[in-house]
Amino acid sequence: MAVSDVLYSTFHLSELIFKHIPTKPESMSRVGFCFARNPPLQWAAAISSIWSLVVIAVERYFVVTDIHGNGKLSMEKLKVIIPCIWIFSLVLQLPPFLSLNYDLDTNVCLPLEPWIYLIWIMTHFAFILTSSVLMAGLYSRVVYTLWFKQDHGNALPPEQQVVLKVRKRVTLMVLTVTAIFAICWNSDLSLHCLEIFYFKGRPLPLGRAIIHTMLMFNAAVNPFAYALVNQRFRKKLYELLPPGLRLFSVRVFPL
């Protein structure tokens, strides 16, 4: 998730900068210029984030609902899952990028065929919407099990109460990150669909400025969400800070 956030923020900034360049620099090739204006790694990082959140939601579901905790992700599983997520994310972005063509007259990189962009947008919309619904279903069961399903006849032993407390804290953290992600990215895809079907392809500058700000906010807010909810994350982050910032960080996020 951290790598995805950094990549998205970096390449999204590249897109915003190059969109304001009036003409393509002569030293840059058309492919290189289109890569800077429409970076496929930006969207691959976004798709990777979505898949990571889905995997976390599935893991939370099985860990909480399975009394033996058999659904917990092991390091061996993650060594397979994470590369597969990135490979799928990159493959999904290559076709629309390879179809881009730089128009010298308009200084815009557009797909050779309009239907390619339409399919790309609709695929992303369906993927994000389906992922959001799936995560909402999984987390509703997790929240019910952790907070509302209580066995009044049998009190939990102390060690199980500690486990329950940890599971609640971790679930609250990933729920916060997932909710922010779902709101920001569903808003972005909804705006693109609105531009295509209602405004006949005409972009909405104000809407895009607001949505892009939300997307950058999503990438930047995750560490703060982790720090607010997860005490272990706060301690590890504190150890990475230079001495001058440690006092300030303790005041903002008490250890």
Side-chain angles (χ1 to χ4, degrees), residues 141-191:
R141 178 66 185 277
V142 170
V143 169
Y144 170 76
T145 303
L146 290 178
W147 276 275
F148 299 100
K149 186 179 179 181
Q150 299 178 2
D151 188 355
H152 299 285
N154 298 309
L156 292 176
E159 59 272 13
Q160 290 191 18
Q161 292 181 12
V162 173
V163 172
L164 181 62
K165 184 178 179 180
V166 172
R167 287 179 177 177
K168 285 184 176 181
R169 186 172 65 244
V170 174
T171 301
L172 184 59
M173 178 183 67
V174 295
L175 266 175
T176 303
V177 173
T178 302
I180 296 173
F181 188 95
I183 292 171
C184 293
W185 280 96
N186 280 294
S187 299
D188 176 66
L189 269 299
S190 298
L191 175 68

Side-chain angles (χ1 to χ4, degrees), residues 100-144:
L100 288 179
N101 181 51
Y102 175 73
D103 189 338
L104 184 61
D105 296 328
T106 60
N107 191 39
V108 174
C109 294
L110 294 173
L112 295 173
E113 298 292 340
W115 60 267
I116 297 179
Y117 176 73
L118 178 61
I119 292 178
W120 183 75
I121 288 293
M122 295 309 299
T123 301
H124 279 68
F125 183 79
F127 176 66
I128 293 178
L129 182 61
T130 303
S131 301
S132 300
V133 172
L134 175 61
M135 288 187 288
L138 292 172
Y139 279 125
S140 63
R141 178 66 185 277
V142 170
V143 169
Y144 170 76

Side-chain angles (χ1 to χ4, degrees), residues 5 8 44 51 58 86-87 101 122-123 148 169-170 181 189 207 212 221 235:
D5 290 338
Y8 177 81
W51 271 113
V58 173
W86 278 99
I87 291 172
N101 181 51
M122 295 309 299
T123 301
F148 299 100
R169 186 172 65 244
V170 174
F181 188 95
L189 269 299
H212 286 173
V221 77
K235 290 182 178 179

Side-chain angles (χ1 to χ4, degrees), residues 23-40:
T23 57
K24 180 181 76 65
E26 295 183 1
S27 58
M28 291 186 69
S29 64
R30 294 191 175 191
V31 174
F33 189 69
C34 287
F35 181 91
R37 292 196 66 167
N38 303 83

Side-chain angles (χ1 to χ4, degrees), residues 4-77:
S4 299
D5 290 338
V6 171
L7 283 177
Y8 177 81
S9 301
T10 302
F11 286 99
H12 190 68
L13 184 62
S14 168
E15 176 187 356
L16 295 179
I17 292 174
F18 275 85
K19 278 187 175 180
H20 291 86
I21 295 180
T23 57
K24 180 181 76 65
E26 295 183 1
S27 58
M28 291 186 69
S29 64
R30 294 191 175 191
V31 174
F33 189 69
C34 287
F35 181 91
R37 292 196 66 167
N38 303 83
L41 288 177
Q42 172 188 192
W43 305 111
I47 295 298
S48 172
S49 294
I50 299 172
W51 271 113
S52 299
L53 289 172
V54 171
V55 170
I56 292 172
V58 173
E59 189 261 357
R60 286 290 89 198
Y61 173 81
F62 283 110
V63 166
V64 171
T65 58
D66 187 348
I67 190 173
H68 301 292
N70 293 326
K72 188 174 182 179
L73 291 176
S74 63
M75 188 59 67
E76 289 72 22
K77 293 178 182 178

